[in-house]
């Protein structure tokens, strides 16, 4: 079990980073970004293609992939903040579902539907606990998820950039009347979350199921983790991601339960939604 | 050419025009009271000046620069501030954070807080926890902190006890004395006219009186007929 849980921690770190991105997006730019991991997947696939067909070194191809993932996300953000600036969160989020499907199809057309021959960016064990080997990928993703959450929190609470973002998320029109540039700030949030997702996917993808659909659908476990923090709290999003990853790893070890791991994110989402509903019913009853 | 100039502005909302061919000029150092019954179009007029809603026709200019097609942010950068109807605080931000948004520097935050002792005491509370009057002070202080040259104030008194409102009015006067041009929309007509030099009455989207505040105070029937929709 411990071995399984530790093995699941790398995926957990990946979920955690994506959950932080989803939380930032929902809080700051009013969108549930269903294409959060799809843009990252696409950037990584282009990186793999560049390293195989153009012969770029892995690191250079990875950098290009991350830049592309960032640019794709920024472009989508620009489109949504230009034409759907006043639209409600449902409409804005629906656009990202379309982008998710578009990117999956596009990667089938461009790269085929087989998993890609990823070159690991990081390789090998970091250390051993109780006879269980912990990989470098695991250490880096977990540390990265915590650093990103702490960094974003600090940025939001301690800098004037963060202050403007919070103002914008509370009253967009009032913020604009105070000369806070809504669109550039929103596009910046899209770009940063695009960068972070592509970065973490390029680290973890080589050691996971990495066909286009699996990578694009990472948004499901990430949503489950973000939901634990109510799409508001970064700390709970990170904890949710890590715990979910470990739980999946642990059940994968038990033969009779191993298929359960694929349903775990859905079970968590349904469970959390029911839990929050129960609380509302309770509040209404009082 | 200093001044904020509104020329033949028409604003359309939903079914039809709610402001028709309105024209006036705001001059530095002067307060203009804008009064009229509910639904007359006062808020819509202010919103078309600051860019919340587009003007269907006509033009708005600041110091000779046409801003009719400019963004809200660009207008704000030219020195225009708009205090919206209702309490436009950022509820999750503290008092100081609200001020920091426009003040840019700490000395300016302290300078503005010094004008509002009530706020000084609650400087680190989230504004959501303040009373209505205190929230309106935050909004006013936040607008002052930016040192706008043109200030549009939409029903500052809404939901406030008259005592609180009469405590805030001198702040507005003081700000005008420092050189700002102010457009003051108010339901407390007499209090507003008392501190204003100029006056505008709108009714059903049209200007029905334009003159000095004193002239309007001396001719109460003009005001009554506007409110009775004649
Ligand atoms: N968002 C909107 N969509 C459609 N019509 C609107 C909208 N906002 C206001 N109106 C209409 O425009 C007209 C003018 O409204 P406005 O709020 O500008 O008046 P007002 O003078 O500010 O009124 P009040 O004194 O009640 O604040 C009203 O008939 C109102 O019904
Ligand atoms: Mg109004």
């Amino acid at each position: 079990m411990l071995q399984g849980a530790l093995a699941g921690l790398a995926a957990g770190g990946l979920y955690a980073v994506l959950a932080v991105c989803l939380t930032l997006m929902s809080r700051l730019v009013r969108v549930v970004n269903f294409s959060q991991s799809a843009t990252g997947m696409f950037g990584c696939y282009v990186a793999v293609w560049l390293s195989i067909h153009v012969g770029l070194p892995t690191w250079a191809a990875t950098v290009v992939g991350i830049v592309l993932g960032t640019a794709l996300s920024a472009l989508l953000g620009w489109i949504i903040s230009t034409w759907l600036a006043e639209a409600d969160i449902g409409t804005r989020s629906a656009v990202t579902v379309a982008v998710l499907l578009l990117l999956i199809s596009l990667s089938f057309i461009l790269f085929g539907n087989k998993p890609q021959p990823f070159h690991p960016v990081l390789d090998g064990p970091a250390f051993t606990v109780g006879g269980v080997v912990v990989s470098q990928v695991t250490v880096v993703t977990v540390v990265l998820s915590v650093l990103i959450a702490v960094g974003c929190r600090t940025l939001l609470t301690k800098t004037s950039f963060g202050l403007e973002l919070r103002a914008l998320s509370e009253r967009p029109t009032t913020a604009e009347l105070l000369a806070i540039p809504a669109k550039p700030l929103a596009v910046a949030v899209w770009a940063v979350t695009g960068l972070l997702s592509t970065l973490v996917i390029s680290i973890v993808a080589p050691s996971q199921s990495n066909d286009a659909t699996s990578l694009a659908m990472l948004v499901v476990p990430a949503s489950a983790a973000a939901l634990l923090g109510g799409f508001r709290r970064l700390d709970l999003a990170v904890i949710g991601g890590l715990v979910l990853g470990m739980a999946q790893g642990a059940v994968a070890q038990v033969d009779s339960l191993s298929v359960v791991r694929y349903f775990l994110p859905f079970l968590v989402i349904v469970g959390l939604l029911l839990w929050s509903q129960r609380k509302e019913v309770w509040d209404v009853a009082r | 050419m200093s001044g904020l100039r509104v020329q033949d502005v028409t604003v359309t909302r939903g079914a039809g025009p709610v402001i028709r061919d309105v024209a006036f000029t705001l001059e530095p150092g002067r307060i203009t009271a804008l009064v009229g019954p509910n639904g007359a179009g006062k808020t819509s007029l202010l919103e078309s000046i600051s860019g919340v809603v587009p003007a269907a026709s006509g033009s708005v200019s600041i110091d000779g620069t046409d801003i009719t097609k400019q963004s809200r942010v660009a207008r704000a950068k030219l020195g225009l501030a708009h205090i919206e109807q209702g309490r436009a605080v950022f509820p999750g931000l503290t008092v100081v954070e609200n001020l920091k948004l426009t003040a840019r520097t700490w000395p300016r935050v302290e300078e503005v807080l010094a004008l509002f002792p009530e706020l000084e005491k609650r400087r680190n509370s989230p504004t959501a926890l303040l009373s209505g009057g205190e929230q309106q002070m935050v909004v006013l202080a936040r607008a002052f902190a930016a040192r706008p040259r043109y200030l549009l104030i939409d029903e500052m008194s809404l939901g406030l006890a008259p005592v609180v409102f009469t405590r805030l009015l001198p702040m507005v006067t003081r700000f005008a004395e420092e050189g700002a041009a102010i457009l003051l929309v108010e339901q407390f007509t007499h209090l507003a006219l008392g501190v204003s030099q100029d006056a505008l009455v709108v009714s059903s989207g049209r200007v029905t009186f334009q003159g000095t505040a004193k002239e309007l105070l001396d001719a109460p029937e003009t005001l009554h007929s506007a409110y009775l929709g004649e």
Side-chain angles (χ1 to χ4, degrees):
Chain A
M1 283 292 254
L2 173 70
Q3 193 173 357
L6 285 175
L9 206 48
L14 175 58
Y15 301 161
V17 174
L18 292 174
V20 166
C21 292
L22 287 176
T23 305
L24 290 173
M25 294 291 279
S26 132
R27 260 187 76 174
L28 302 177
V29 296
R30 294 187 300 120
V31 77
V32 178
N33 186 9
F34 290 98
S35 66
Q36 190 72 61
S37 50
T39 44
M41 172 276 290
F42 198 80
C44 292
Y45 268 36
V46 170
V48 172
W49 187 87
L50 284 175
S51 85
I52 292 172
H53 296 274
V54 181
L56 280 190
T58 307
W59 69 266
T62 306
V63 169
V64 175
I66 292 173
V67 170
L68 182 69
T70 308
L72 267 180
S73 187
L75 175 68
L76 181 55
W78 185 84
I79 290 172
I80 289 185
S81 19
T82 303
W83 285 292
L84 294 171
E86 318 265 309
D88 60 84
I89 187 164
T91 313
R92 290 158 68 95
S93 306
V95 174
T96 69
V97 176
V99 173
L100 164 71
L101 299 176
L102 177 80
L103 287 174
I104 294 178
S105 330
L106 200 59
S107 69
F108 281 165
I109 294 166
L110 294 177
F111 312 110
N113 57 4
K114 286 195 291 291
Q116 293 294 300
F118 271 95
H119 244 284
V121 186
L122 287 173
D123 212 359
F127 55 86
T128 317
V129 266
V132 182
V133 176
V134 177
S135 68
Q136 286 180 17
V137 170
T138 303
V139 174
V140 169
T141 24
V142 171
V143 170
L144 205 59
S145 68
V146 175
L147 283 183
I148 288 173
V150 172
C152 290
R153 207 195 123 77
T154 310
L155 185 88
L156 284 176
T157 53
K158 300 274 190 281
T159 68
S160 55
F161 176 70
L163 179 60
E164 293 190 345
L165 283 173
R166 282 187 291 144
L168 208 49
S169 74
E170 290 191 6
R171 293 183 70 106
T173 305
T174 304
E176 283 191 285
L177 290 173
L178 302 178
I180 295 171
K183 198 153 122 185
L185 285 178
V187 173
V189 172
W190 280 85
V192 169
T193 56
L195 182 144
L196 295 174
S197 344
T198 319
L199 170 70
V200 71
I201 291 176
S202 66
I203 293 172
V204 185
S207 54
Q208 303 274 317
S209 335
N210 55 33
D211 58 287
T213 315
S214 301
L215 291 180
M217 285 304 160
L218 283 171
V219 73
V220 176
S223 305
L227 199 55
L228 182 71
F231 278 89
R232 292 202 61 80
R233 288 188 53 177
L234 298 176
D235 52 352
L236 289 179
V238 170
I239 292 170
L242 295 177
V243 170
L244 182 58
M246 289 202 291
Q248 276 184 318
V251 297
Q253 294 282 296
V254 185
D255 279 342
S256 58
L257 286 178
S258 69
V259 289
V260 172
R261 73 175 163 141
Y262 298 110
F263 298 105
L264 216 48
F266 296 100
L267 292 177
V268 170
I269 290 176
V270 172
L272 285 171
L273 286 177
L274 287 178
W275 176 262
S276 64
Q277 287 308 307
R278 183 203 69 114
K279 204 166 141 252
E280 262 165 40
V281 172
W282 177 248
D283 285 345
V284 171
R286 277 189 303 179
Chain B
M1 267 237 337
S2 81
L4 185 151
R5 195 147 178 221
V6 174
Q7 277 171 297
D8 303 330
V9 163
T10 294
V11 179
T12 314
R13 276 197 131 139
V18 295
I19 280 292
R20 292 168 227 235
D21 301 324
V22 168
F24 62 91
T25 303
L26 300 181
E27 282 164 22
R30 293 178 79 86
I31 303 178
T32 304
L34 171 60
V35 298
N38 294 117
K42 306 179 294 292
T43 298
S44 303
L45 177 59
L46 263 55
E47 288 181 342
S48 70
I49 298 174
S50 65
V52 175
V53 299
S57 65
S59 71
V60 183
S61 64
I62 284 185
D63 304 337
T65 308
D66 188 337
I67 58 164
T68 322
K69 294 277 178 290
Q70 296 208 16
S71 71
R72 297 160 193 170
V73 174
R75 297 180 201 215
K77 285 189 173 153
L78 283 171
L80 177 66
H82 177 179
I83 294 182
E84 299 153 276
Q85 190 166 336
R87 314 237 179 297
V89 290
F90 299 101
L93 271 50
T94 65
V95 171
V96 164
E97 284 175 332
N98 265 277
L99 301 185
K100 190 84 203 311
L101 283 172
T102 51
R104 304 287 156 195
T105 66
W106 281 113
R108 183 64 184 154
V109 171
E110 297 300 340
E111 208 174 294
V112 172
L113 272 181
L115 297 174
F116 298 89
E118 294 92 331
L119 296 183
E120 169 66 52
K121 272 181 274 171
R122 313 214 43 188
R123 54 189 292 150
N124 293 319
S125 310
T127 36
L129 304 182
L130 304 188
S131 73
E134 289 166 335
Q135 290 185 350
Q136 202 59 286
M137 283 181 202
V138 171
V139 174
L140 201 58
R142 192 179 64 200
F144 287 174
R147 299 182 210 272
R149 289 175 308 124
Y150 299 97
L151 179 56
L152 317 173
I153 305 180
D154 200 350
E155 299 206 27
M156 195 165 65
S157 63
L158 200 75
L160 297 187
V163 223
V164 179
F165 179 56
T166 44
R167 151 102 181 72
L168 293 179
L169 268 184
M171 302 283 188
V172 175
T173 312
R174 181 184 160 147
F175 199 61
E177 282 163 3
E178 289 173 10
I182 296 173
L183 184 60
L184 185 64
V185 173
E186 255 319 318
Q187 292 290 357
F188 290 137
T189 320
H190 286 269
L191 289 175
L193 289 171
V195 300
S196 301
Q197 288 80 45
D198 301 318
L200 281 171
V201 179
V202 283
S203 182
S204 308
R206 290 186 193 278
V207 174
T208 55
F209 171 88
Q210 193 157 12
T212 66
K214 188 165 181 311
E215 282 165 1
L216 189 57
L217 280 170
D218 292 342
E221 64 285 357
T222 314
L223 211 50
H224 287 155
S225 63
Y227 277 82
L228 294 173
E230 282 158 24

